Amino acid sequence: MTALSCGALVGPQALSAQTAAAAGRGTNILIVGIDSRAGLSTAEKNRLHVGGKGCNCTDVMMLVHLSEDGRRASVVSIPRDSYVEYAGTAVPARSGKINGAYALGGGPLTVATVEKATGLHVDHYLETDFTGFERTVDNLGGATVCTDRPLKDDNSGLDIGAGRHHTDGNRTLRYVRARHVNLRPGDLGRVRRQQRVVNDLLARLTVEGALASPLRTARTVRTLLKTVRTGERTGPGDLIRIGWTLGRLSADRTEFATVPIRLFDHRVPGVGSTLVWHEARSAALWAALGADRPITGDTRIQPVAQTPAPTNPAAIGVRVDDATVAAALSRNGFVVTDTSPSAPLVRPAGPPVIRYAPGQEEHAATLAAALPGARLEAVAGHDAFFDVAVGTDPVAVRAVTYDRNIADGAPVTGDSLRCAEPPAAVPAVRS
């Protein structure tokens, strides 16, 4: 993943003879992080907070597309639990989580499986592991992470407060691995955090001038190659050329997205809980990359909802003191309790009022989207429910659309993912 940010994104990769994907315009690079504890001592596992049994599979997977004119980079994260058909000659074809391809056939089968699933030709391949990632981030001077609220995950060891933080390799590893945080749990939330780290690291290296010339890019590449494994035919000249190109890209010329998902908990006997791609939208994503087109703003990849909801109405408990409004919100997917029998005889003047506990602002925004014009009131000590008090104004309940892909993985440009503050100056890359 960090390889993307420092320019090691080229070099031909020997591909399986099974590869049938046709080469398109531009350049595609597959970057993976391996979940392996092989060779780690107990002390190292504790320090990295990677206790437990490794799967010798890919934990992080990013497909990077560099446009043919060198003026755009598109980064697509492929969740590790994506349910796909593996490449190979087995009859019948074997299917499983995409991260399992590495355990079956290492990098070559991983590349071939991604090609089979996407229809794209993978030109280059890079990989690292837990210690490699940690050392890479440290060698590059650390990373930037940011969050609008505290994040804690006992599994990865993540525990950071709200704000912007400059983190070393160890803390950055915890940030990008966390899957059980109190905000946006699961793979899509952590994938977006990975994208933020890549985006801000690229921005900082650019600000520092680490990719400002072929000579300075060569120094950065030399640092990278200490901890990242490349394809067997990858040459230093290729790395320098592409790294220098990346260093000249502005944030609005980089794009980040996650493969659109249709089923988030598809149970497969012997495989477990998997993610099933949204067939039409993922196909549109791969078609755009194959045609060397931008992925942001393409409504075939990310349809624009008339009234988008930032969170799932099914997770929001609402008490409503009007029977008609209660029924309409219930049809809209909210978990509704009708409290109209205890409603005041004389309604207060004005629009509906939504009262809720502080810290529930995202759910409040979803409920407010369904009740346009409603007033929001955060009330200290309020319970977990939302209370809707209907006033004298007419109420029109609007149908809202919750799409988890929008919340966690919609195509966006790098400037929208950037931490609020500008990249901080830190020591130059160590050679």
Side-chain angles (χ1 to χ4, degrees):
M1 180 176 66
T2 304
L4 166 65
S5 301
C6 54
L9 300 179
V10 295
Q13 167 70 19
L15 301 177
S16 166
Q18 302 164 359
T19 296
R25 297 175 57 198
T27 304
N28 298 314
I29 309 99
L30 184 64
I31 303 175
V32 303
I34 307 302
D35 181 356
S36 174
R37 279 80 166 170
L40 293 180
S41 66
T42 300
E44 287 175 315
K45 291 179 182 178
N46 291 337
R47 179 178 57 80
L48 295 170
H49 221 277
V50 293
K53 184 179 180 180
C55 61
N56 191 35
C57 60
T58 52
D59 189 52
V60 176
M61 183 178 290
M62 289 183 171
L63 185 64
V64 183
H65 176 81
L66 302 180
S67 65
E68 192 163 326
D69 61 10
R71 299 181 60 188
R72 184 181 66 258
S74 304
V75 184
V76 179
S77 294
I78 302 176
R80 55 175 286 162
D81 292 337
S82 298
Y83 189 60
V84 299
E85 190 174 271
Y86 297 136
T89 58
V91 179
R94 181 175 178 179
S95 297
K97 297 180 181 180
I98 200 167
N99 68 340
Y102 190 90
L104 295 173
L109 185 61
T110 298
V111 168
T113 296
V114 169
E115 289 188 321
K116 184 174 185 177
T118 66
L120 298 174
H121 176 72
V122 174
D123 301 286
H124 319 295
Y125 172 84
L126 298 97
E127 72 174 46
T128 192
D129 52 23
F130 293 139
T131 56
F133 176 86
E134 179 192 36
R135 290 172 56 203
T136 298
V137 173
D138 285 338
N139 289 344
L140 294 174
T144 301
V145 303
C146 51
T147 174
D148 59 359
R149 67 187 68 183
L151 295 178
K152 184 176 176 62
D153 176 23
D154 292 336
N155 293 72
S156 74
L158 176 66
D159 189 2
I160 62 172
R164 186 175 186 272
H165 308 270
H166 186 76
T167 54
D168 62 10
N170 187 282
R171 293 183 70 201
T172 306
L173 179 65
R174 299 179 184 208
Y175 178 83
V176 299
R177 289 189 63 241
R179 302 179 75 187
H180 304 280
V181 294
N182 50 325
L183 175 67
R184 302 212 184 285
D187 239 17
L188 266 65
R190 79 168 188 147
V191 160
R192 191 57 110 188
R193 292 194 302 276
Q194 293 163 3
Q195 294 169 357
R196 288 182 182 276
V197 168
V198 168
N199 186 48
D200 277 280
L201 184 53
L202 177 58
R204 181 173 60 73
L205 291 175
T206 301
V207 167
E208 292 174 354
L211 305 172
S213 69
L215 178 60
R216 300 196 72 171
T217 304
R219 293 172 180 165
T220 303
V221 166
R222 183 173 61 185
T223 298
L224 173 81
L225 291 177
K226 297 176 182 178
T227 51
V228 173
R229 297 176 290 276
T230 65
E232 62 183 14
R233 294 185 293 168
T234 299
D238 296 324
L239 300 176
I240 294 167
R241 174 176 53 84
I242 300 302
W244 189 22
T245 299
L246 283 173
R248 296 197 299 270
L249 289 177
S250 59
D252 62 348
R253 302 296 298 178
T254 59
E255 306 175 303
F256 294 86
T258 302
V259 182
I261 305 299
R262 178 172 61 85
L263 298 176
F264 284 90
D265 186 20
H266 177 58
R267 299 280 172 165
V268 180
V271 178
S273 177
T274 69
L275 301 173
V276 175
W277 295 352
H278 190 290
E279 291 81 356
R281 289 161 65 175
S282 63
L285 173 64
W286 309 132
L289 295 181
D292 205 27
R293 299 194 310 265
I295 59 176
T296 50
D298 189 332
T299 56
R300 292 167 297 184
I301 301 170
Q302 185 62 72
V304 178
Q306 184 174 3
T307 308
T311 59
N312 190 353
I316 304 174
V318 188
R319 293 183 292 246
V320 186
D321 69 357
D322 180 275
T324 301
V325 174
L329 288 174
S330 182
R331 290 192 298 271
N332 217 343
F334 293 90
V335 181
V336 176
T337 300
D338 182 355
T339 61
S340 58
S342 60
L345 295 177
V346 179
R347 296 282 181 178
V353 176
I354 301 172
R355 297 183 175 90
Y356 60 96
Q360 297 283 338
E361 283 73 21
E362 283 195 310
H363 281 338
T366 294
L367 185 53
L371 296 171
R375 296 201 310 267
L376 293 172
E377 290 185 6
V379 180
H382 201 282
D383 61 18
F385 283 81
F386 287 73
D387 283 309
V388 175
V390 175
T392 57
D393 289 0
V395 179
V397 177
R398 182 176 295 171
V400 298
T401 300
Y402 170 68
D403 184 343
R404 188 171 168 185
N405 294 289
I406 295 177
D408 293 320
V412 294
T413 53
D415 49 348
S416 68
L417 288 183
R418 185 80 53 82
C419 286
E421 301 175 27
V426 298
V429 173
R430 294 193 291 271
S431 60

